[in-house]
Amino acid sequence: MNLITLENISKSYSEKKLLEDISLGINDKEKIGLIGVNGTGKSTLLKIIAGAEIPDDGTITKANKVRIEYLPQNPYYDENATVLEQVFKGTCEEMKIIGDYQDVLDKINKSYDEKLNDRLLKLQEKMDALNLWDLESSAKTVLTKLGIKDFNQKVKELSGGQRKRVSLASALITPCELLILDEPTNHLDNDTIDWLETYLNSFKGSILMITHDRYFLDRVTNRILELDKGILYSYEGNYSVFLEKKMNRLQLAESMEAKRQNLLKKELAWVRRGAKARTTKQKARLQRFDELSNKNDYTPEDKLEISVGSSRLGKKIIEIENLSKSFDGRTFIDNLDYTLARTDRIGIVGRNGLGKSTLIRLLNGELKPDSGTISIGETVKIGCFNQDTSKMHPEMRAIDYIKEESDYITTADGHKITASQMCEKFLFNGTLQYTHIKNLSGGEKRRLQLLRVLMMAPNVLLLDEPTNDLDIDTLSRLEDYLDDFNGVLICVSHDRYFLDRVCNKIFAYEGRGKINIYTGNYSDYLDYREQENIEFEEFEDKVKEEKPKAPKKEKPKAKNKPKFSYNEQREFDTIDEDIEKLEDKIASLEEDTSKYATDFTKLQEIMDEKTKLENELQVKYERWEYLNNLAEEIANWSNN
């Protein structure tokens, strides 16, 4: 079934043409990854499909009753809403009903009113009629999986990463036939990305997403769209299949261009011989020559080449002794000892909020340790690529931002390259070089930041989430650069492919300031963790992904009393029975598989139903665990 069709879509901003005569059809159950160099219009295309932007030209046809849910890069937040209220701020009927129900319930809890109670009862009837209780339950389960556990916390108290995860939860649970996600893996740790892969693979509708996580694309998608210079190419299959098919396409285009050039050369020789265009045949040949001269569908791919020299690195690099750092009574780094070697390519991994970026900031001198020392060698020149774009003056032109660091650099082979030439290598053409930073896309700003860091010719490179907002082409070129980088690399990243590609050691944050060091890349670390059954510890209290604030005064215990909400109590009373029913149904279906072993049509129906019930059962198990933990907290509080 076709969900939506785009025909001859075009879109421009000022003089920059992003999309030109784009045509696309999205069918049911397709899981599509959209890739391309930053600034080519990927996010714009998603906005047009979602209805958030109107194209300059072209038509969009959507099938009847097709619902589209869209997660933009920068979602809208109600600062005064709670986490749960923000999740249910969707525009579809189901989300509105649950949102209204949550709002009325909150008002009743604060101040009982009979009229409000009547309204609550009517909303409960709607919830029953549309079977929305499971949806409300799923919201809490998804939030928990995404690391958000305080459902009543105000949105204004959340960090940027936590807010994005709340919006992601809202998009994931909203009933729809087409789910559109713009960079869903940003701000997620590796374990959460693994969970998201499983969730999206079980999603019944279609998915269209932008992500630069290549393992994620490989494991979730069954179709890849590539946006290149305003043209959209479609490839059936996942990312690995796309790489093979793209290579074949480029080789074919290159072969056809070589044939065109060869034919053009022959025709040019004929023209130069001075043949008189008196006959119809000669006129046709001259016309063909003109057509060959003007026709050039092939353009070689832009290459992002990085060949930057680095400063000489002495024997002593960085020595870390008994390093410790805490905020608000929570230990982020506890007695870390390590001496960096010349060959170190270190990846820092762990769950969000455990303090990975803290180590980068300590090494870069932005923070002072509570105890211990960081001793840096005299020849060390640190270049730090972080997530902060606030220091990029919006009115400055791209070329001036680079020249502010250096007018030229010396490459590994001793040649000097100007700032403008380096910009060209980083896909900033003449026009883009003189574009104000405020008019660059998020990915283009990040690429510009990376260029400025490399213009320093550092010999110790600190990368804090380098893969966020960088397109796959830029990432692959950065990885090629790091292969030849004659210095030390330390990076925080959730990109598993990147960690596998560039790292030979892993610093794993495993809770309460404990950092264990493993030799090998990220996959080697995962294998070891699985063999040893290593689990991350977590802080007893949640850790926000933001700069530490002054500790708050403790509230009286009475105000912190844990309690069931009305719905949670209702769910708690029946969940054992619900689980038992689901288990019985699954057992019955397992018996049916033997009965219909030769009826493949019936067998497929049974297996589909069994999978659906098993997914429901998994959700129930998770809810059972959550509710029983809450019941235990309530009992402990009462006893104390």
Side-chain angles (χ1 to χ4, degrees):
M1 172 186 170
N2 182 265
L3 302 180
I4 191 168
T5 301
L6 283 71
E7 293 180 290
N8 306 120
I9 298 295
S10 297
K11 185 70 178 180
S12 300
Y13 289 102
S14 299
E15 296 179 357
K16 188 175 183 180
K17 194 155 195 173
L18 290 178
L19 309 174
E20 185 173 5
D21 291 331
I22 295 290
S23 294
L24 169 68
I26 299 176
N27 298 317
D28 190 28
K29 301 190 185 309
E30 283 194 308
K31 292 182 169 62
I32 303 170
L34 176 60
I35 64 175
V37 174
N38 289 128
T40 55
K42 300 188 301 296
S43 292
T44 299
L45 180 57
L46 291 197
K47 290 175 185 176
I48 289 172
I49 295 172
E53 278 199 17
I54 299 173
D56 298 335
D57 296 299
T59 59
I60 300 174
T61 307
K62 189 170 71 169
N64 290 333
K65 297 183 179 179
V66 169
R67 296 170 295 181
I68 297 175
E69 179 61 20
Y70 169 52
L71 174 70
Q73 277 194 30
N74 300 300
Y76 165 77
Y77 303 101
D78 181 350
E79 296 280 331
N80 295 312
T82 64
V83 166
L84 211 53
E85 288 169 346
Q86 181 65 44
V87 167
F88 292 115
K89 282 193 176 294
T91 56
C92 74
E93 181 187 6
E94 294 92 336
M95 300 296 271
K96 285 181 179 178
I97 291 171
I98 297 176
D100 289 345
Y101 175 80
Q102 291 289 341
D103 183 52
V104 172
L105 188 62
D106 184 54
K107 289 177 181 177
I108 288 176
N109 288 336
K110 291 177 182 176
S111 177
Y112 181 79
D113 182 284
E114 192 168 334
K115 289 182 179 179
L116 284 174
N117 193 55
D118 290 340
R119 188 178 170 197
L120 186 70
L121 290 172
K122 290 180 180 178
L123 287 168
Q124 285 174 350
E125 289 175 3
K126 288 185 178 180
M127 296 271 284
D128 286 331
L130 295 173
N131 194 24
L132 298 183
W133 299 108
D134 285 344
L135 189 59
E136 186 193 31
S137 173
S138 295
K140 294 179 180 178
T141 301
V142 170
L143 282 167
T144 302
K145 287 291 186 182
L146 293 174
I148 308 294
K149 298 177 181 177
D150 186 350
F151 307 139
N152 295 314
Q153 188 176 7
K154 294 289 187 182
V155 170
K156 62 185 175 185
E157 298 172 3
L158 301 176
S159 69
Q162 288 171 322
R163 292 184 182 194
K164 185 68 183 283
R165 293 198 293 276
V166 169
S167 293
L168 176 58
S170 180
L172 292 178
I173 68 159
T174 300
C176 64
E177 285 68 46
L178 175 58
L179 178 61
I180 299 178
L181 305 172
D182 197 342
E183 294 289 2
T185 59
N186 279 3
H187 306 292
L188 300 185
D189 57 52
N190 295 321
D191 286 347
T192 308
I193 292 173
D194 286 339
W195 170 83
L196 183 59
E197 282 177 2
T198 304
Y199 188 97
L200 293 180
N201 277 323
S202 64
F203 181 72
K204 301 301 182 186
S206 296
I207 299 170
L208 173 63
M209 63 181 172
I210 296 171
T211 180
H212 303 138
D213 188 321
R214 287 154 287 185
Y215 281 161
F216 194 80
L217 283 168
D218 227 22
R219 294 167 184 171
V220 176
T221 62
N222 54 29
R223 183 181 175 193
I224 298 291
L225 299 176
E226 183 188 23
L227 189 57
D228 184 19
K229 302 180 184 69
I231 301 172
L232 194 67
Y233 299 94
S234 178
Y235 306 84
E236 294 297 325
N238 63 6
Y239 183 71
S240 294
V241 175
F242 151 74
L243 289 177
E244 184 179 349
K245 289 185 176 181
K246 180 180 178 179
M247 182 180 68
N248 292 337
R249 177 178 70 81
L250 293 176
Q251 287 175 345
L252 179 61
E254 190 174 349
S255 174
M256 291 177 68
E257 173 62 12
K259 289 179 181 178
R260 188 186 75 88
Q261 291 288 350
N262 188 45
L263 185 56
L264 185 60
K265 186 177 180 180
K266 291 179 181 178
E267 293 297 309
L268 183 60
W270 177 81
V271 170
R272 284 175 175 169
R273 283 200 299 268
K276 296 179 180 179
R278 287 181 296 188
T279 69
T280 302
K281 185 175 181 181
Q282 288 169 327
K283 287 179 180 179
R285 192 165 182 179
L286 284 171
Q287 185 178 353
R288 186 175 67 168
F289 172 76
D290 289 336
E291 290 173 354
L292 282 170
S293 301
N294 295 324
K295 180 183 178 182
N296 186 6
D297 296 329
Y298 172 76
T299 46
E301 282 202 302
D302 289 323
K303 297 294 183 184
L304 177 58
E305 298 174 357
I306 309 176
S307 177
V308 183
S310 59
S311 307
R312 184 185 68 84
L313 194 58
K315 186 175 181 181
K316 178 180 176 181
I317 304 172
I318 299 177
E319 296 175 355
I320 302 170
E321 293 185 19
N322 300 321
L323 183 68
S324 295
K325 186 66 181 177
S326 300
F327 292 115
D328 293 346
R330 298 182 181 121
T331 301
F332 288 84
I333 299 174
D334 185 21
N335 291 321
L336 175 64
D337 286 293
Y338 189 76
T339 299
L340 270 78
R342 286 172 178 268
T343 57
D344 275 347
R345 302 283 193 275
I346 298 169
I348 303 175
V349 303
R351 290 181 179 168
N352 286 332
L354 293 181
K356 302 185 296 297
S357 294
T358 299
L359 181 55
I360 295 289
R361 296 175 68 199
L362 284 165
L363 293 172
N364 198 36
E366 298 173 50
L367 294 176
K368 300 295 181 185
D370 296 337
S371 61
T373 60
I374 298 174
S375 180
I376 299 176
E378 292 183 2
T379 61
V380 168
K381 187 174 184 180
I382 294 177
C384 185
F385 178 52
N386 57 34
Q387 302 179 65
D388 182 16
T389 58
S390 62
K391 295 179 182 178
M392 302 178 76
H393 195 288
E395 298 299 331
M396 183 177 282
R397 298 183 189 277
I399 184 66
D400 296 327
Y401 177 74
I402 298 303
K403 284 184 174 180
E404 198 175 50
E405 177 60 45
S406 178
D407 286 330
Y408 66 89
I409 56 154
T410 305
T411 64
D413 55 8
H415 293 293
K416 291 189 185 304
I417 298 182
T418 66
S420 180
Q421 289 171 325
M422 280 301 296
C423 282
E424 290 280 354
K425 286 179 177 287
F426 272 67
L427 310 184
F428 288 98
N429 59 31
T431 303
L432 204 54
Q433 286 181 32
Y434 289 92
T435 300
H436 291 102
I437 288 175
K438 66 181 180 182
N439 294 326
L440 298 178
S441 70
E444 286 171 330
K445 289 177 184 176
R446 292 282 283 163
R447 199 192 314 153
L448 197 64
Q449 272 185 303
L450 176 60
L451 172 55
R452 178 163 169 149
V453 170
L454 298 183
M455 290 287 285
M456 296 170 56
N459 50 30
V460 173
L461 195 54
L462 307 179
L463 305 177
D464 191 358
E465 293 292 358
T467 60
N468 281 358
D469 298 319
L470 286 184
D471 57 77
I472 291 174
D473 188 58
T474 305
L475 284 175
S476 63
R477 306 302 173 184
L478 174 59
E479 289 158 0
D480 290 341
Y481 162 73
L482 293 174
D483 285 341
D484 300 323
F485 177 58
N486 189 26
V488 171
L489 167 69
I490 304 173
C491 69
V492 175
S493 180
H494 296 138
D495 188 317
R496 298 155 296 176
Y497 186 99
F498 183 81
L499 291 168
D500 274 350
R501 178 80 162 71
V502 304
C503 294
N504 57 25
K505 283 184 183 173
I506 297 294
F507 279 25
Y509 274 70
E510 293 174 352
R512 304 181 190 279
K514 182 181 177 184
I515 302 174
N516 284 335
I517 300 169
Y518 302 88
T519 300
N521 62 17
Y522 183 70
S523 291
D524 296 328
Y525 158 69
L526 282 184
D527 290 341
Y528 181 84
R529 180 178 157 190
E530 185 176 351
Q531 291 168 10
E532 299 298 319
N533 197 26
I534 296 172
E535 293 292 337
F536 287 126
E537 297 178 41
E538 291 188 82
F539 291 126
E540 292 176 5
D541 303 312
K542 64 182 176 299
V543 180
K544 298 180 183 178
E545 298 177 351
E546 56 187 10
K547 293 182 180 179
K549 297 179 181 178
K552 297 178 181 179
K553 293 181 181 179
E554 287 190 15
K555 296 180 181 179
K557 189 174 180 181
K559 292 184 180 179
N560 290 327
K561 178 181 178 180
K563 62 179 182 179
F564 278 126
S565 68
Y566 172 84
N567 294 329
E568 287 171 337
Q569 182 65 60
R570 174 176 172 170
E571 185 182 5
F572 182 67
D573 292 339
T574 62
I575 196 164
D576 288 322
E577 185 180 345
D578 293 341
I579 287 174
E580 188 176 348
K581 287 179 181 178
L582 283 170
E583 288 174 337
D584 289 343
K585 288 180 181 178
I586 291 170
S588 176
L589 288 171
E590 286 174 348
E591 292 177 5
D592 289 344
T593 56
S594 300
K595 189 188 302 182
Y596 295 99
T598 57
D599 186 344
F600 296 109
T601 303
K602 183 67 176 177
L603 191 61
Q604 186 61 52
E605 291 175 2
I606 292 170
M607 295 305 295
D608 289 344
E609 179 65 17
K610 183 171 175 282
T611 301
K612 178 183 176 183
L613 292 176
E614 284 172 342
N615 289 337
E616 289 181 23
L617 185 59
Q618 181 60 37
V619 172
K620 288 292 183 185
Y621 281 148
E622 291 168 357
R623 290 297 299 162
W624 182 92
E625 184 179 0
Y626 166 77
L627 292 168
N628 277 274
N629 287 340
L630 181 55
E632 188 176 338
E633 286 181 30
I634 294 169
N636 290 338
W637 193 93
S638 300
N639 293 334
N640 294 330

